[in-house]
Amino acid sequence: DLEKEAFGDGVEWVRLKAAVREGVQRATGWALELNSSNVEVTVIAFFGTDHLALGVEACEPSVSEGGPLFPWSQLPRPGMETQLAGAMAALAAEPYRDAAGATALAETDSIIVDPTCGMGTLLLAAARIWPRSSGKPGRLRLVGRDRNPEQLKKCLANFEACSMDASDIRFGDARDPASLSHLEEGSVQALICDLPCGAAHKEGSDRESYEAFLELAARLLRPGGRCILLSTRREQLTRTAGRGPWKTVASWSVGRGEGNFREFLLLALERLPGPMESDHQERPSREEW
């Protein structure tokens, strides 16, 4: 575990989080409100082997001031923690925030894929903060698949509430190559996913499923595109990603659930180009990695 690597085998996850919480309170003077809906600032911590990263969410500027496309308050039913969804979206958008990245976005559509989209929170998080070019903007295409009809209904309601195009949010199993066959290889800027894990998602959290999700990402992403993944199955995810055409950008432990007691791995990967590979050349299959 990253915490044990950084602090030694004696580290305790709950005490470590408490220490960070107390440190933030001492440094800022902010009062802690665990169960209040009226918080002014939300802080989320990410632990690395040699660093601690803090994400701070406060009052947002308007769209005209360069702020998000829409506020989180417009979502009727966020499916996951909006702070975490926003952090994952920011990692996905990072390569396109400099001048060269913004120019590239103005010349083509931006495609963001979530192969297990649920209520659509991750896709909407990306849409909120995706860089917008000052020149002629390319279209933002949000592509989501899910096998749960009830989740998809809530996803479509969230998209409608945020005035986002849901034409490519559909019922389907992204592990099936035909599900996303309309997307060209190397055409996607980012794939972002809260991977199936836990007792309720055994079918989609086995080794073969994770291999299928990573194979999908390797096929669809353009070189330099980001694959942002979240799972409790740390070893399986790390092992599977280690066999692919990936550079690890970030690997952070994240606490979720009541009291943040469930430990997840947030893994940010960057698609490496293969030998002689350009944006339009054929991507390798898993057997060729």
Side-chain angles (χ1 to χ4, degrees):
D1 294 347
L2 294 176
E3 303 82 34
K4 292 181 179 179
E5 236 181 284
F7 299 102
D9 291 337
V11 67
E12 294 182 19
W13 175 243
V14 175
R15 292 183 63 189
L16 183 59
K17 288 190 297 180
V20 172
R21 189 181 296 138
E22 291 168 8
V24 170
Q25 286 181 267
R26 284 198 304 269
T28 62
W30 296 340
L32 178 64
E33 296 286 348
L34 284 176
N35 299 309
S36 172
S37 60
N38 298 315
V39 295
E40 296 179 1
V41 176
T42 302
V43 179
I44 184 169
F46 300 95
F47 294 96
T49 55
D50 58 358
H51 67 278
L52 167 68
L54 294 177
V56 180
E57 183 177 278
C59 295
E60 298 173 331
S62 66
V63 175
S64 62
E65 297 171 324
L69 193 59
F70 51 83
W72 280 121
S73 58
Q74 284 187 213
L75 267 71
R77 293 285 300 275
M80 67 182 296
E81 303 91 329
T82 54
Q83 300 89 354
L84 180 54
M88 294 174 69
L91 283 168
E94 188 177 30
Y96 308 105
R97 293 199 173 278
D98 59 17
T103 299
L105 288 183
E107 295 172 351
T108 184
D109 289 350
S110 292
I111 305 175
I112 306 170
V113 175
D114 185 346
T116 62
C117 65
M119 296 186 195
T121 312
L122 282 172
L123 288 173
L124 292 171
R128 268 170 40 92
I129 55 90
W130 200 254
R132 300 184 287 275
S133 170
S134 57
K136 182 180 178 181
R139 186 166 65 101
L140 178 62
R141 293 174 57 191
L142 303 176
V143 180
R145 296 291 181 271
D146 205 278
R147 298 171 63 243
N148 186 325
E150 292 303 314
Q151 291 281 83
L152 278 178
K153 285 182 183 178
K154 295 170 185 174
C155 179
L156 293 173
N158 282 338
F159 268 61
E160 182 179 3
C162 297
S163 301
M164 297 303 299
D165 179 10
S167 59
D168 213 342
I169 305 298
R170 305 173 191 168
F171 180 86
D173 188 342
R175 295 169 297 178
D176 178 1
S179 177
L180 294 165
S181 60
H182 66 298
L183 297 177
E184 294 183 7
E185 295 185 353
S187 65
V188 170
Q189 276 73 21
L191 185 145
I192 184 167
C193 184
D194 186 355
L195 287 165
C197 55
H201 302 282
K202 288 182 179 179
E203 183 184 347
S205 62
D206 56 13
R207 179 179 59 83
E208 291 78 10
S209 294
Y210 275 37
E211 287 177 352
F213 289 129
L214 267 294
E215 182 180 345
L216 173 73
R219 178 175 66 83
L220 293 180
L221 284 170
R222 60 187 301 175
R226 292 276 177 92
C227 178
I228 315 298
L229 304 170
L230 188 70
S231 175
T232 57
R233 310 203 68 169
R234 301 168 62 109
E235 292 185 10
Q236 178 172 287
L237 177 55
T238 303
R239 220 171 23 244
T240 305
R243 294 194 291 269
W246 306 108
K247 169 189 172 183
T248 299
V249 176
S251 179
W252 294 331
S253 292
V254 180
R256 299 179 72 188
E258 185 68 28
N260 289 334
F261 290 131
R262 294 188 67 203
E263 187 176 349
F264 284 69
L265 173 66
L266 193 165
L267 187 63
L269 306 170
E270 185 174 295
R271 174 68 162 85
L272 295 172
M276 306 297 291
E277 184 179 47
S278 71
D279 282 359
H280 303 289
Q281 288 178 306
E282 185 175 350
R283 296 301 188 266
S285 67
R286 184 167 69 236
E287 289 74 19
E288 297 174 312
W289 289 354

